[in-house]
Amino acid sequence: MTVVPGDFDDLLAANAEYAANFAYSGFDGIAHAGIGVVTCMDSRIPPLEMLGLKPGDAKVLRSAGGRVTEITMTGLVLGVQLLGVRRIMVIPHTRCAMASMTEDEMRAKVERAAGKPAGYLPLNVIPDQLEALRHDVAAVREHPLIGDDILVGGFMYDVDTGHLTQIT
């Protein structure tokens, strides 16, 4: 599909309104509350709001299923070493599509939606969210560039209540 002028006008108009009262000019990119968050790409998750934070307080990294991937780990290392992160929260959520079916079921669903094969694409579904969370937290804690002085916790976000529960 080719993008034509006007396809994004609604979003550009919303951005113009946002920019008219923009209050974050000159921010330095440091996580001023010292928080790093890895969470899912799910639009039901408002990472800053659910933690009582505001822009400039945290580094937020998103991935399908809220998993610590190679690229989110890179972001965490940069956050810790260069951007003031001292506490890291890994936060998957309830009713996550990535934890609701097998790899084959997810692939079939993607293929039906796309109308073409997707066998080459690793989808990395999550058979056991709590085990995956424990694994990801351990991987962050053990990373040689994260450091023993960084607090790392695993939490589950309930998309129906807004509550966080600490798991590890």
Side-chain angles (χ1 to χ4, degrees):
M1 177 177 269
T2 303
V3 175
V4 297
D7 284 350
F8 294 91
D9 283 354
D10 59 330
L11 299 173
L12 291 171
N15 174 256
E17 189 174 315
Y18 170 78
N21 298 308
F22 190 67
Y24 305 114
S25 180
F27 269 32
D28 56 14
I30 301 297
H32 287 277
I35 308 298
V37 175
V38 176
T39 194
C40 187
M41 60 191 251
D42 192 301
S43 59
R44 297 172 290 181
I45 303 170
L48 295 178
E49 294 90 341
M50 74 181 188
L51 298 171
L53 302 173
K54 61 187 181 312
D57 284 346
K59 296 299 170 193
V60 178
L61 305 156
R62 291 189 180 249
S63 66
R67 296 301 310 273
V68 175
T69 64
E70 183 178 355
I71 196 67
T72 56
M73 186 68 86
T74 297
L76 292 173
V77 167
L78 293 172
V80 166
Q81 297 303 327
L82 304 176
L83 302 170
V85 170
R86 307 313 299 158
R87 293 185 290 169
I88 295 171
M89 300 176 78
V90 181
I91 311 174
H93 65 95
T94 58
R95 295 197 301 118
C96 182
M98 296 302 291
S100 69
M101 57 191 86
T102 68
E103 187 88 6
D104 288 341
E105 291 167 334
M106 180 69 81
R107 179 165 286 102
K109 190 172 183 175
V110 169
E111 289 176 349
R112 278 192 304 277
K116 55 184 81 169
Y120 64 91
L121 182 67
L123 298 174
N124 302 310
V125 299
I126 307 163
D128 182 335
Q129 273 188 306
L130 296 181
E131 179 57 34
L133 177 57
R134 288 182 188 96
H135 174 271
D136 287 351
V137 167
V140 174
R141 287 178 177 157
E142 294 167 7
H143 195 284
L145 296 175
I146 295 295
D148 294 336
D149 58 332
I150 304 301
L151 298 174
V152 183
F155 305 80
M156 183 65 71
Y157 178 71
D158 188 319
V159 297
D160 295 311
T161 68
H163 284 104
L164 275 179
T165 301
Q166 186 163 5
I167 304 300
T168 181

